[in-house]
Amino acid sequence: MDITEVPVSDDKKGKKKKNKNSNKKSVREEGNGEGAGAEEKEEKMEKSDAAAAFPPTFSVSEIKNKQRRHLMFMKLKQEKRKQKMQLRKKKKKEREALGDKAPPKEVPKTIENQRVYDETTVDPEDEEVAFDEATDEFSAYFNGLTNPKVLITTSDRPRGRTVRFCEQLATVIPNAHVYYRRGLALKRVIPQCVARNFTYLIVINEDRKVPNGMVLCHLPDGPTAHFKVSSVRLRKEIKRRGKGPTEHSPEVILNNFSTRLGHSIGRLFAALFPQDPQFVGRQVATFHNQRDFIFFRFHRYIFKNEKKVGIQELGPRFTLKLRSLQ
């Protein structure tokens, strides 16, 4: 059988190749068109979702990346701060524009001004309270018959932090002396204090090398108060502190000791310091009572001009909470 070869022209080969290439191009173009359309649709969806979800349903806690979550949180915080500042400036301008016709400033709600009236709050002009205070254990001090003399001691075998706290406390209270217990019982210490004319005995207790308690005993007849001590900050731990305190007698400020028990505790603290403060030293010891916590601060002040006063904290600082009064 004879087989004859049929020649294929180059034009047909070129057409086939062209057709193949054109088909590929069309497919690519179609794919690109679909991809571009899909991308546009996704962008539109993202924009619509972002517009709908941020800020009403947006929550920083939903971000799983810790660093990004922190950055977003800081940004939101800055935005809120800016809005507050803008509102404050706007209100200030409005008040300046209104002048005397401006409405009174709103008083912020706090725990103190929302507190329910306490029946034990004492009227300063109450005759019964005045009689009790004139005949109590501190009357000799307030009448100027005795001068305070304080003995500061510690629990048995104190550690370094407690010792430093006692030494710094002795620089705050005039005429205070620091002695170490050396295993002596308080029943043996107190008669010696009375024999040497000490009017106060302060015992600093510690737990796990940290001061955690204070016994404040007025001699010779009491009363004795036991306080829990917390948030102790020594001088080296206070930022921007002033130079060490001088030997001048400080002024004493007692805030919010308004109840019957508060009067007793306030007089207990007042009798620690001499009644003749030396204003040349410009030193102030503050006992601030708030929600039954007593915050102690020790400052030095300076008059910058007729209206402004600058203060420097000298330390130490600590917080007391009354546990018992006998």
Side-chain angles (χ1 to χ4, degrees), residues 191-238:
Q192 295 181 20
C193 293
V194 175
R196 297 179 185 181
N197 297 323
F198 281 98
T199 59
Y200 268 98
L201 174 65
I202 299 176
V203 183
I204 306 297
N205 297 317
E206 69 171 15
D207 182 30
R208 299 177 183 177
K209 304 180 183 180
V210 177
N212 74 326
M214 177 187 290
V215 177
L216 192 59
C217 179
H218 183 263
L219 301 175
D221 300 323
T224 299
H226 177 224
F227 297 94
K228 177 187 174 183
V229 180
S230 60
S231 304
V232 176
R233 299 285 294 275
L234 302 178
R235 289 200 177 104
K236 287 186 177 180
E237 300 167 356
I238 297 174

Side-chain angles (χ1 to χ4, degrees), residues 42-87:
E42 287 178 358
E43 287 177 1
K44 288 179 181 178
M45 289 290 290
E46 286 176 359
K47 286 180 181 177
S48 62
D49 290 339
F54 187 82
T57 58
F58 175 74
S59 176
V60 178
S61 59
E62 294 176 2
I63 301 173
K64 294 183 179 179
N65 190 306
K66 186 177 180 180
Q67 293 178 347
R68 188 164 182 79
R69 184 170 64 243
H70 178 70
L71 288 171
M72 291 298 295
F73 173 73
M74 296 304 292
K75 284 181 181 178
L76 288 173
K77 203 172 182 182
Q78 287 177 359
E79 287 177 4
K80 287 182 180 178
R81 192 178 299 151
K82 285 180 182 178
Q83 290 175 1
K84 280 185 179 180
M85 290 296 292
Q86 288 173 359
L87 283 171

